[in-house]
Amino acid sequence: VLLVSFIVWLLASLHLMEFSRLSVLVGLLLVGLFSTAILVIRRREFIQMLRNQWKQISVAQAIFLIAFLSFVLIRMANPDLWHPFRGGEKPMELAYLNAIVKSSYMPPYDPWFAGGYINYYYYGLFVVGMLIKATGVHTAVAFNLAVPLFFALTFGGAFTVVYNLAETSRRKRGKNKKKGRFGPTIAGLVGAIFVSLLGNLDGAVQVLQGMGRVALLNLPFGEFDFWRSSRLMPPDPPGFEITEFPFFTFLFADLHPSLISIPFTLVVLGLAMAIVLHVPSNTQIMVY
């Protein structure tokens, strides 16, 4: 997704091709040709990997699909993209997304200023716009599908990073293939849950506080303050400092760069992990 969208963006930014379904196909073709070249060069390793790790690959794909469909259900429960004061930045993001999809070249036109161009960081929304161009899905529908997509990519990415760290540790301890083979999968799931769902414990604290009001003070449970968990800093001037965590961001569903960047950050962590794990054990690594 990242590579194809970058090629498409570059073509539109350099005015080499209009931003269209054709340019998306060109991006797919270029990435496909590069991938095919690597596959031809290293086909034996690839086939061997599929034979040895098809179960792990299937588990990872199943985890991605479950995470995606689960969050689709959450968005189905509240698909509205507008609210006078609880809508967050969704109206702005939908306006930018529409502007990106309708623009032939980059940067996109500014939906708030006639004759101007967007001077905001829009590339994350461009990734979504690229998928819209490729599929023809309406932007409002695509908005509610993009949030589950990035949640699933985050969950799957966190699972992959932790799984590989745990599996590498298991092999270095000299474990055989059968003994402890489920440990890395469990570790990966726990890691994905911590990253994607357990951002902080304020929600649990609020539940305990409500139960205490009911049991000890004979008072109503009270409302659950969804917003409080993401604004834990003291309310000193100039206001409530943002302390968002991934699950709040996905649940609130602002299709903002802060949300879109999470799975791509995990891509960088995964690449760094792959580099480090493939360095020979007798090599010294300098970290700055």
Side-chain angles (χ1 to χ4, degrees):
V1 172
L2 191 61
L3 284 175
V4 173
S5 60
F6 180 73
I7 293 172
V8 176
W9 175 83
L10 203 60
L11 291 172
S13 297
L14 297 176
H15 288 220
L16 298 176
M17 286 189 71
E18 289 188 3
F19 180 36
S20 63
R21 184 172 294 179
L22 179 60
S23 67
V24 176
L25 291 175
V26 169
L28 283 169
L29 181 63
L30 290 174
V31 173
L33 289 173
F34 185 71
S35 301
T36 302
I38 296 175
L39 178 61
V40 170
I41 295 171
R42 309 187 66 171
R43 59 187 180 279
R44 292 182 180 177
E45 295 176 52
F46 186 78
I47 294 172
Q48 189 64 35
M49 182 199 70
L50 289 179
R51 288 174 178 171
N52 295 338
Q53 301 183 23
W54 66 270
K55 291 181 180 178
Q56 293 93 322
I57 295 171
S58 300
V59 168
Q61 297 302 314
I63 287 172
F64 172 85
L65 288 173
I66 292 170
F68 175 76
L69 295 175
S70 298
F71 227 88
V72 167
L73 292 175
I74 292 176
R75 291 307 305 147
M76 287 173 64
N78 182 26
D80 193 4
L81 301 180
W82 167 252
H83 191 282
F85 58 94
R86 292 182 179 173
E89 299 180 358
K90 297 180 186 66
M92 178 202 78
E93 290 148 1
L94 189 60
Y96 280 177
L97 188 57
N98 279 320
I100 290 168
V101 172
K102 292 178 180 179
S103 295
S104 298
Y105 298 101
M106 299 296 115
Y109 73 84
D110 190 336
W112 312 114
F113 181 61
Y117 296 95
I118 291 179
N119 60 357
Y120 190 73
Y121 34 92
Y122 66 88
Y123 182 72
L125 288 169
F126 180 85
V127 173
V128 180
M130 185 269 296
L131 295 173
I132 292 173
K133 281 287 189 181
T135 60
V137 175
H138 191 278
T139 52
V141 177
F143 190 109
N144 279 317
L145 291 175
V147 174
L149 171 64
F150 290 118
F151 173 80
L153 289 173
T154 298
F155 198 95
F159 169 83
T160 302
V161 170
V162 178
Y163 174 91
N164 281 285
L165 288 172
E167 176 64 15
T168 301
S169 176
R170 187 179 76 91
R171 291 182 181 181
K172 286 187 175 181
R173 292 198 307 269
K175 301 290 185 181
N176 59 42
K177 290 185 177 180
K178 292 185 178 180
K179 188 176 181 180
R181 60 183 176 178
F182 296 113
T185 301
I186 295 171
L189 286 171
V190 171
I193 290 170
F194 267 97
V195 171
S196 305
L197 302 177
L198 301 180
N200 67 42
L201 300 178
D202 181 66
V205 171
Q206 289 194 53
V207 171
L208 291 175
Q209 289 173 339
M211 293 172 63
R213 284 191 292 268
V214 173
L216 302 176
L217 303 176
N218 199 27
L219 294 174
F221 181 88
E223 291 187 0
F224 186 90
D225 191 347
F226 171 79
W227 198 257
R228 184 185 105 174
S229 299
S230 69
R231 302 295 188 273
L232 293 178
M233 300 290 286
D236 296 327
F240 292 93
E241 278 69 24
I242 300 173
T243 51
E244 284 190 20
F245 50 97
F247 186 62
F248 173 89
T249 306
F250 288 117
L251 194 60
F252 194 44
D254 269 351
L255 195 57
H256 190 271
S258 60
L259 179 151
I260 299 171
S261 65
I262 297 174
F264 296 136
T265 302
L266 285 165
V267 168
V268 175
L269 288 174
L271 290 172
M273 175 198 65
I275 293 171
V276 171
L277 293 183
H278 283 80
V279 172
S281 58
N282 59 348
T283 302
Q284 293 185 350
I285 300 175
M286 186 68 71
V287 179
Y288 294 93

